[in-house]
Amino acid sequence: MAEIIIKGVAKRFGAFTALHQVDLTIADQEFMVLLGASGCGKTTLLRIIAGLETQSEGEIWIGGRRIDHLPPRKRGIAMVFQNYAVFPHLTVYENIAFGLRMQKQPQGEVDSRVRRTAELMHIEQLLQRYSGQLSGGQRQRVAVARALAMEPDVILMDEPLSNLDALLRLEMRAELKGVLAASKTTAIYVTHDQVEAMSLADRIAVMHQGRIVQAASPVEVYRNPAARFVGSFIGNPPMNFLPAKKVGDGQFMVAGQTLTGPSASGDIEFAIRPEDMEIGPGGFAATVRVVEPLGAHTLVTTEVDGRVFRVVIDSNIEVKTGDSLSLVPRAERIRWFDPQTTSSIR
Ligand code: ATP
């Protein structure tokens, strides 16, 4: 059992607060992705869990044991970094064996673990090569194999695929997901790439300015953002937002249309995903600014009420720059946000 509990963890660098009271529980064998823009504190949180950085406040528990006072090697954690840190002068075999030799594991155990993890990562035919002679993707696999060979309770990965080209990234992503599920390891994976996060995670913890704004399944984060930031960060293109002026109890004026919303004491904000708008009568008056065919769909950037408003429509529908459209939101997909707190209103 390697449930990870992060309790009230804060980190200050001098006067700057990089993490504010972060609470997060990661279930045994869960694949948790920390997602957020550059500087939001993802790496700092990962380094605190690994023991490479000391928190200013809070506790870390793994498998029912408080570990935040332990040195990194006693935490039962393996890490894979962005730069993989594979030794070029060692063979693949010796790279994977490295940590096991440090632990003074008997040769028989080292050999069986190296071969097993190499097979898992599909690099068994490369074991005698020097790592300096490998491609980026192969080196990346060696780094992951080396971490897995330690049979850690927890594996921490900091943007491990960031140096790979797009195709290799896609391949490694799928493999990583399968391999980690098979190894029954609890994983925390840091990325700023939302597609990677959506595709890998059991749950995503969305971070913003040193806080976790939402921790939920990829679908939940996408469909029901807990805060405006999540809706504006996740999704390409992101959610559209429009001011919603209160005109009655649960009635709001949005871009000239009266819509039924939640009960609120004042004006709120309307939000919707670009694929949740339809062209039809009685909708928002939109002027087409840019048309981008994407194959199956067309991304149309319009102007609604003087604001940029993007919609994704079927590529069979023909629209061109300058067209006037009437855009109707799918009622069940509308979300509302409090403009003061930026939290969602249900
Ligand atoms: P990136 O994706 O760019 O790596 P991140 O979300 O991982 O970003 P962190 O590396 O965790 O961000 O950094 C969070 C904040 O803490 C940043 O503003 C960073 O400048 C600051 N920070 C990190 N390490 C230190 C340090 N040793 N001293 C001072 N400030 C630091």
Side-chain angles (χ1 to χ4, degrees):
M1 277 291 286
E3 180 193 51
I4 305 170
I5 302 174
I6 299 162
K7 244 191 237 178
V9 166
K11 178 67 183 175
R12 289 178 286 275
F13 293 107
F16 176 73
T17 303
L19 293 173
H20 302 264
Q21 299 286 336
V22 170
D23 291 297
L24 184 66
T25 298
I26 300 149
D28 181 41
Q29 297 181 34
E30 189 172 26
F31 197 133
M32 174 67 79
V33 172
L34 302 181
L35 174 68
S38 180
C40 70
K42 312 178 290 289
T43 299
T44 302
L45 184 56
L46 205 70
R47 287 171 57 81
I48 290 172
I49 299 167
L52 303 173
E53 193 79 72
T54 311
Q55 71 275 23
S56 311
E57 281 171 46
E59 302 173 5
I60 314 269
W61 294 68
I62 296 180
R65 194 166 66 115
R66 185 167 175 189
I67 54 103
D68 52 75
H69 56 288
L70 298 176
R73 69 194 149 75
K74 296 222 166 130
R75 296 187 179 198
I77 287 173
M79 260 193 101
V80 182
F81 295 98
Q82 203 173 104
N83 59 10
Y84 353 119
V86 166
F87 307 117
H89 59 287
L90 294 182
T91 60
V92 169
Y93 187 104
E94 285 306 323
N95 263 291
I96 301 175
F98 189 80
L100 301 171
R101 298 220 192 277
M102 299 284 281
Q103 285 182 343
K104 306 220 181 330
Q105 296 279 354
Q107 176 55 30
E109 180 67 17
V110 172
D111 195 63
S112 77
R113 287 211 213 166
V114 169
R115 292 187 189 282
R116 197 168 58 239
T117 49
E119 223 167 279
L120 210 55
M121 295 310 297
H122 303 298
I123 47 172
E124 65 272 30
Q125 73 291 359
L126 300 175
L127 285 172
Q128 298 316 319
R129 273 242 209 127
Y130 284 93
S131 302
Q133 305 166 331
L134 301 176
S135 72
Q138 291 166 334
R139 266 203 293 277
Q140 186 62 66
R141 282 165 211 234
V142 175
V144 176
R146 184 174 57 194
L148 290 175
M150 304 291 287
E151 296 183 358
D153 298 329
V154 172
I155 187 163
L156 306 179
M157 289 172 279
D158 192 352
E159 308 240 10
L161 308 185
S162 60
N163 293 337
L164 307 184
D165 67 48
L167 194 63
L168 207 52
R169 245 179 120 112
L170 224 69
E171 250 175 58
M172 275 293 293
R173 196 164 84 194
E175 266 175 47
L176 204 56
K177 190 167 180 170
V179 164
L180 283 172
S183 69
K184 302 194 188 308
T185 312
T186 308
I188 307 182
Y189 186 104
V190 161
T191 184
H192 64 270
D193 179 336
Q194 46 155 318
V195 178
E196 204 162 282
M198 298 285 287
S199 70
L200 281 172
D202 292 322
R203 276 192 304 153
I204 300 175
V206 183
M207 294 188 67
H208 184 48
Q209 296 177 347
R211 290 189 168 83
I212 292 179
V213 193
Q214 184 171 17
S217 72
V219 172
E220 179 69 10
V221 161
Y222 187 81
R223 280 280 157 240
N224 297 310
R228 189 188 202 280
F229 170 77
V230 179
S232 65
F233 185 71
I234 293 194
N236 186 19
M239 272 186 143
N240 293 297
F241 298 91
L242 291 171
K245 190 170 171 46
K246 182 171 172 168
V247 290
D249 193 21
Q251 298 292 304
F252 298 89
M253 183 67 78
V254 180
Q257 302 296 315
T258 305
L259 299 175
T260 302
S263 66
S265 56
D267 297 346
I268 57 176
E269 208 169 10
F270 161 98
I272 194 143
R273 294 256 171 226
E275 65 274 24
D276 294 330
M277 297 296 297
E278 280 160 10
I279 297 173
F284 303 155
T287 309
V288 175
R289 295 294 177 217
V290 185
V291 179
E292 297 171 73
L294 302 174
H297 304 287
T298 303
L299 171 61
V300 184
T301 302
T302 73
E303 199 177 304
V304 171
D305 222 10
R307 283 159 209 268
V308 172
F309 195 95
R310 293 194 178 86
V311 292
V312 173
I313 60 171
D314 195 290
S315 56
N316 292 325
I317 305 170
E318 281 199 21
V319 291
K320 55 183 191 312
T321 305
D323 282 358
S324 294
L325 300 177
S326 166
L327 298 173
V328 182
R330 286 164 63 187
E332 76 281 7
R333 289 292 167 81
I334 299 172
R335 298 292 176 265
W336 305 94
F337 291 92
D338 181 323
Q340 263 77 50
T341 65
T342 80
S343 296
S344 86
I345 311 170
R346 297 259 188 136

